[in-house]
Amino acid sequence: MRNKEILLVVSLLTLIGSAIFGYRVFVLDFPLTPNKQVESWHVEMKATLGGPSGSLRLEAFLPRRDSFHTLVDENFVSNDFGLTTQKDPETGNRVVSWSKRNASTQEILFYRGILYETHSANSSAARTAPVITVPQYKTAEFNALRKERVDYLGLGSLIDEIQDKSIDQRSFALELFSFIDANPADNRLEQIQEMNPNLTSLAATEVFILHHVGIYARVVNGLPLKQAKRHASFEARTEILLDNKWVQYNKQTRSLGENRDFLRWWVGNVPFYTVTGQHNATLNIAVKKHTENALTEAMWRGDPTREAMYKLSIFNLPVDVQLVFSILLLVPLGAIVVCVMRQVIGIETFGTFMPILVALSFRETKLLLGVILFCLIVSLGLIFRSYLNRLQLLIIPRLSAIMIMVVLALYLFSMIAYNTNIYTGLSISLFPLVILTMLIERISLSWEEFGAQTALKAAAGSLFVAIVSYLVMNNDLLSHLMVTFPELLLIAVAMTILIGRYNGYKLMEYYRFRMMTQPTDSAPKD
Amino acid sequence: MFSGFHRLKDMGIMGINSRNLDFIAPHNRRQYYRLVDDKVITKKTAIEAGIPVPELFATIEYQEQLKRLGDILAQRSCNQFVIKPAKGSGGGGIMVIKGRTAAGYLRANGQVITLPEIQYHISNILGGLYALGGARDVAIIEQCIENIDLFDKLAFQGVPDIRLVIYKNTPVMAMLRLPTLASGGRANLHSGGIGVGLSMDQGMTTNAILHNQYITHHGDTDAPLLGHIMPDWDQVLDIGVKAAHMAKLGYVGVDIVLDKHHGPMLLEINARPGISIQIANRQGLKARISSMGL
Ligand SMILES: Nc1ncnc2c1ncn2[C@@H]1O[C@H](COP(=O)(O)OP(=O)(O)O)[C@@H](O)[C@H]1O
Ligand SMILES: [Mg+2]
């Protein structure tokens, strides 16, 4: 009955824990390993506005999430401007609008965004397919227009020519792109552009043509991501929807494919920004590439407008709270080590969780120095304690005296370390004073009561467990996992429950009972 | 290694984890621990139940009482007594005083100890130094057991005790524990005492261990350890069963001492008896329990 219940609880905890974990790893693309390198792009937009003072509004597009990039952080510096951001549900474009009733003659506005490359493509690409409203090639309407208008005359002849060489949408698009690439000054293109002044770019013209044969296409404006640029300029590209993916024409390979190295900013053949008011605006865009480890990436995954599961991450907390938790979340690892060491291996320690606290302090001092410091302080404390014993003090004042001596010893060690430059990074802020004091007291007590051997054995056991906890807690992979995926706490609980029901032998008991398991004839006879 | 684990299992040896999960947790109710964890309560309840115990001379509860310690000891005009923490375990904090000299009191190991040193020791007890979890404690001063002749030969400077493991009110295993030079007058194995397995039918010594190693002679006295029969064995078993019944615990260790003049007496009851007794008896507790059909 109880075992069934425990099995249920344990599997439930494990299931929930690993489900959340799996979702965040496989769907949200949280990095499993700490050293995974991730590219991030920092984009900056600086708007310089000059003109007579008066009311002013600047509307500009903001970078958007696409299949390969996730916007993880952005901030605006806009002093006393009113600020709103909007997302157009149809195109997915994001617009910032800065406005001020009485702007001065010179105003500067800033935007900064951080985008990470995602490794699994977001499948939401095709959500915003444009609606085609233009007359379709070969329909009666199209043929009529072809007789009336010179642009449709050129368009029809161009499509005729390309159509002859192609069999489907893909090949049509390919043929069209390579034709235009080879003959950018073809007079039919000029005819089209002349009659349609809104087709300000080649990309817009291409989209215009493609729409007439029923191919979903769009103009997308963005930044080619190759290297850092202090003054980047937008490029307008044609993207067509093929097999539910937005693909671009690659001139070098003469093929159609998704373009990872293009940061999509806005869709549509519309200007980047508009100014309402008397000011002139110059907008400068800068891009910078960062290579960071994936933990830093996770740190930026705080975009609250995204999936709720991002919110589980501690990186949504204020930085100082994050720091606390990045340590607290390691403690369960230490607790499991202690459980295993004591219940399964059978190592004696002073105090149940003392080794974890000592291990935490090793994190700051580094292992070797930590162990040396630990041994020095404990031995000094023991000597001092044995002297205090002669003075016959009451317990609490005696403990306080030892604690003060520990503080003094720590201070002296820091002084020595600092002045001799042996170790300048010595940081002992976490060195557990109280724990060390109690430890000294308990070692010396055990020493008096049960002899040096018993006392030192347990002291060594405590140090050993502390070292193992330190190694586990300081393991890059494990600590990364615990801090990035707090849902693993559920699995940690499940593990401790399991260990809590472990009624098998401890490793040390095998040693303890070794005399019994040997054949009796090896035992001494009377 | 795993074959070793299997051998332990085949021999029916009880590990600590199994003792805690399979014996203590289901058979010992938490609410009854108070009686056994506090030796003052154990003593009072035992007296009411008609179980002989070493006489309680005094309890010391407050630091202020320490000033009158000399008077308390003199009043009793006794030079032999034992000081121990009411909530101690494993022999911790037990001080056996065997007599007086001009310089002070004489400990079991011959060391002379002054009254202020005894006062200091008691104030440590009161502060909870030996109590589980460091809670405040009370010091007990009780009659010192006088060894029977057999034990005088076997033990070194101290009083042996007999540990009975009582499961479901039936004695299942027994062990005689002998103080050594290292154990300082206490018989607990943890303090360095010798454990000697006892047969259940007549209380005969069978095997002896020191620090989990088999021995045949006492290292300090050179006395042969095996083949002795405990006197008043039926009475010892009877006290054990009565004590377990009184404690309302299903799986307990009962410590019994044999006094030259008063016979077997209950020393303490233990809700978490150690498992070394199996080594001293060369048999696993689980094997013993199942062979007894319990
Ligand atoms: N009244 C006593 N007279 C002589 N020895 C004693 C007395 N009380 C305890 N001892 C010694 O101390 C040991 C431990 O005593 P016990 O009362 O069982 O305390 P613990 O709970 O620490 O085991 C005994 O085995 C015995 O050797
Ligand atoms: Mg005892």
Side-chain angles (χ1 to χ4, degrees), chain A residues 348 350 354 374 378 439 443 454-464:
Chain A
E348 306 270 330
F350 283 118
M354 186 280 292
F374 176 88
V378 170
L439 184 74
I443 294 177
T454 316
L456 290 180
K457 221 166 81 184
S462 310
L463 187 57
F464 175 76

Side-chain angles (χ1 to χ4, degrees), chain A residues 392-450:
Chain A
Q392 307 194 341
L393 308 178
L394 295 172
I395 292 181
I396 292 166
R398 183 174 69 213
L399 283 175
S400 309
I402 296 173
M403 181 143 82
I404 294 166
M405 283 305 284
V406 172
V407 174
L408 190 63
L410 281 174
Y411 177 70
L412 286 179
F413 287 140
S414 313
M415 288 277 290
I416 295 168
Y418 183 75
N419 283 327
T420 54
N421 289 329
I422 300 174
Y423 192 83
T424 42
L426 179 60
S427 148
I428 44 174
S429 60
L430 256 183
F431 226 80
L433 265 184
V434 180
I435 293 293
L436 278 180
T437 309
M438 290 312 292
L439 184 74
I440 290 165
E441 181 71 15
R442 293 180 70 164
I443 294 177
S444 77
L445 202 68
S446 161
W447 193 308
E448 279 165 30
E449 287 290 322
F450 307 115

Side-chain angles (χ1 to χ4, degrees), chain A residues 343 389 392-393 395 398 445 449-450 501-505 507 509-510 512-517 523, chain B residues 4 7-8 11 13 15-18 22 93 116-117 120 124 127 129 186 191 212-213 276 278 282-283:
Chain A
Q343 299 313 131
N389 214 19
Q392 307 194 341
L393 308 178
I395 292 181
R398 183 174 69 213
L445 202 68
E449 287 290 322
F450 307 115
R501 292 300 300 176
Y502 171 71
N503 67 356
Y505 300 107
L507 209 61
E509 283 171 353
Y510 168 64
R512 180 174 174 185
F513 291 110
R514 69 196 179 286
M515 297 312 288
M516 285 180 77
T517 55
Chain B
R7 195 121 24 99
L8 290 186
M11 292 184 68
I13 290 172
I16 284 281
N17 290 334
S18 172
D22 305 329
E117 282 172 319
Y120 176 57
N124 276 343
L129 209 53
R186 299 158 304 186
S191 306
N212 294 340
Q213 303 275 356
S276 289
Q278 303 172 102
R282 279 188 190 274
Q283 196 184 10

Side-chain angles (χ1 to χ4, degrees), chain B residues 26-87:
Chain B
H27 298 292
N28 292 357
R29 303 252 307 266
R30 271 263 142 211
Q31 70 204 85
Y32 299 132
Y33 277 34
R34 214 171 68 90
L35 189 150
V36 298
D37 283 346
D38 187 329
K39 292 190 172 75
V40 180
I41 304 180
T42 313
K43 214 183 260 290
K44 287 193 175 134
T45 322
I47 293 170
E48 281 162 23
I51 304 171
V53 290
E55 189 189 341
L56 181 66
F57 290 165
T59 58
I60 301 203
E61 293 174 45
Y62 310 103
Q63 300 283 351
E64 297 79 66
Q65 289 174 276
L66 285 177
K67 292 186 204 120
R68 294 186 283 113
L69 183 68
D71 300 338
I72 294 171
L73 295 176
Q75 194 180 28
R76 276 296 188 166
S77 71
C78 65
N79 296 331
Q80 292 198 8
F81 53 90
V82 172
I83 299 170
K84 56 172 148 183
K87 293 177 186 154

